[in-house]
Amino acid sequence: MERQSLLRDRGSFWPLIAVTAYVFVGYFGGISLLLLAANPWLLLAGTLLTAHAMVIAAYLLHECGHNTLFRRNEHNARLGRVLNWIAASAYARFEDIRSKHMRHHVDNTDVIAFDHVAFLHRHPRLRRLIEVLEWAYIPALPVMMHWTQILLPFVWESRRHLRGRVLGVLAVRSTIFLLVLAWNPLAAALYLIAWFLMLHALRFMDAFQHNYELSFTLESGGDPARRGDAVYEQSHTFSNPVSLRAPWLNLWTLNFGYHNAHHARPTVPWYRLPALHQELFPEDHAQVLGFSEQLAAYHRHRVRRVMGDSADPEDFRERLRRREAVGADAVSFLTPI
């Protein structure tokens, strides 16, 4: 009874135990392989395991933001703060990550504070560098957004209160990374590759899940120019499961691909989303995207996506079928800027 009173959902005990165990064992086990293994296959396994544990940590953090795990919000927040470190996003407070994401759900828009497109227009050399790196599949734009988050407290007065946190997290992470670099440079390089793989996985899922308008009101706290209703929300939200024929494959992203179901009932935990999707949406639902068409568009427009998709959002689904939809970038819930 005590166990059930702590958790929000009666059936959540074993799913929560399994996924948290995977995150911690996968993350620290993967890093141990990077540090100690000499066999190339073990190093590859350690890199992939570290990357995937970070992906699941990010999506479990997302669950904490929706308070789907525990009855009390403070318990969700405690786990979320730990996962924030594993997901390499601890420069931002869990509370700020949650606040930005809740506005995404309430306002039915991508709420941001920093206009990276305008910034890159003003700095063409940096834009060119990022586009070259993105062409080579190095996720330079997400890396820039993470570093922008670190720098903004020293540029924007409104974020001055975050300076101590940023410096503290930067000191801890930099010290650990430099120690690893000095002891085992290959392990440090493979950790960076694991982080890059995580960034690719997260933004692949983000790129085609919405064609919302952008609202630059995160910092001001004002209302967006246009707040959508439930009809607008569902028509501008897309589900991108890895597979509907083999639902277990969607656990690779903690069922994040059942996105219309998630937006229909945001407090439903990840392990109930496949059943909810099946209940709410037919098999040929127009908002369900094919994995191959997403993969083709993600590859084809990896450079154009840096500056965003300026085409008519109403034609998004048809353009994706023709592999022409560019998709969104720099809207990760892990970077509340």
Side-chain angles (χ1 to χ4, degrees):
M1 291 295 294
E2 182 64 27
R3 183 178 75 192
Q4 291 182 354
S5 67
L6 179 67
L7 303 177
R8 178 172 182 139
D9 185 87
R10 283 178 177 243
S12 67
F13 180 75
W14 289 114
L16 179 58
I17 290 294
V19 74
T20 52
Y22 177 80
V23 166
F24 286 98
V25 172
Y27 182 72
F28 291 107
I31 287 180
S32 296
L33 286 175
L34 298 184
L35 290 170
L36 303 175
N39 184 292
W41 291 107
L42 290 178
L43 291 173
L44 175 62
T47 303
L48 296 177
L49 186 58
T50 302
H52 191 242
M54 294 170 73
V55 169
I56 299 300
Y59 287 134
L60 194 59
L61 184 155
H62 167 259
E63 294 286 324
C64 292
H66 283 281
N67 298 315
T68 65
L69 305 179
F70 302 102
R71 288 186 181 274
R72 298 178 63 177
N73 292 357
E74 64 186 80
H75 292 152
N76 288 287
R78 286 175 187 173
L79 177 58
R81 293 184 192 111
V82 175
L83 295 167
N84 203 12
W85 281 87
I86 294 177
S89 52
Y91 300 102
R93 300 180 303 181
F94 169 79
E95 292 76 11
D96 293 334
I97 292 173
R98 182 185 184 279
S99 177
K100 174 187 176 179
H101 191 64
M102 289 306 102
R103 288 200 59 189
H104 166 76
H105 278 270
V106 172
D107 295 346
N108 306 140
T109 185
D110 284 319
V111 186
I112 58 177
F114 175 72
D115 187 348
H116 80 275
V117 173
F119 178 78
L120 291 177
H121 272 305
R122 295 195 301 270
H123 298 86
R125 290 183 181 177
L126 177 60
R127 171 185 172 179
R128 181 58 182 157
L129 174 62
I130 287 176
E131 289 177 337
V132 168
L133 293 173
E134 291 285 357
W135 176 86
Y137 289 96
I138 297 172
L141 184 59
V143 171
M144 187 194 86
M145 296 301 287
H146 275 270
W147 274 100
T148 300
Q149 182 173 259
I150 294 170
L151 295 172
L152 280 182
F154 302 93
V155 178
W156 290 0
E157 190 64 27
S158 60
R159 299 211 169 192
R160 182 185 180 94
H161 62 287
L162 295 174
R163 290 181 180 179
R165 178 185 181 86
V166 165
L167 289 174
V169 173
L170 189 60
V172 171
R173 290 186 60 84
S174 297
T175 299
I176 294 173
F177 184 79
L178 290 173
L179 288 173
V180 171
L181 183 64
W183 182 47
N184 189 337
L186 179 59
L190 291 177
Y191 173 81
L192 283 179
I193 291 174
W195 183 46
F196 287 174
L197 290 174
M198 171 217 179
L199 294 176
H200 271 300
L202 294 184
R203 73 171 179 177
F204 174 79
M205 296 301 292
D206 286 339
F208 306 106
Q209 284 187 334
H210 295 284
N211 58 350
Y212 282 163
E213 296 178 359
L214 293 178
S215 173
F216 298 95
T217 59
L218 181 63
E219 202 69 13
S220 65
D223 290 332
R226 167 173 150 187
R227 176 181 278 127
D229 56 15
V231 174
Y232 174 88
E233 179 178 19
Q234 284 297 319
S235 64
H236 290 266
T237 299
F238 300 87
S239 296
N240 56 344
V242 177
S243 173
L244 290 177
R245 294 181 179 177
W248 64 271
L249 288 174
N250 296 298
L251 292 174
W252 288 101
T253 57
L254 210 63
N255 289 332
F256 196 67
Y258 295 102
H259 216 60
N260 287 85
H262 170 61
H263 271 258
R265 298 179 192 171
T267 58
V268 171
W270 83 93
Y271 51 89
R272 298 199 186 279
L273 287 176
L276 180 61
H277 176 90
Q278 195 171 21
E279 172 192 335
L280 295 179
F281 306 109
E283 208 167 301
D284 58 349
H285 187 54
Q287 303 304 105
V288 177
L289 308 179
F291 185 79
S292 61
E293 60 188 5
Q294 296 173 74
L295 196 60
Y298 186 79
H299 157 73
R300 182 176 297 178
H301 304 298
R302 63 192 184 277
V303 175
R304 287 183 59 197
R305 195 174 297 113
V306 169
M307 302 304 286
D309 189 350
S310 58
D312 182 0
E314 302 302 327
D315 193 32
F316 176 80
R317 185 66 184 88
E318 185 56 38
R319 286 188 295 113
L320 185 61
R321 284 196 182 97
R322 300 194 303 264
R323 312 300 199 258
E324 295 174 1
V326 174
D329 209 341
V331 293
S332 173
F333 59 85
L334 292 181
T335 49
I337 56 174

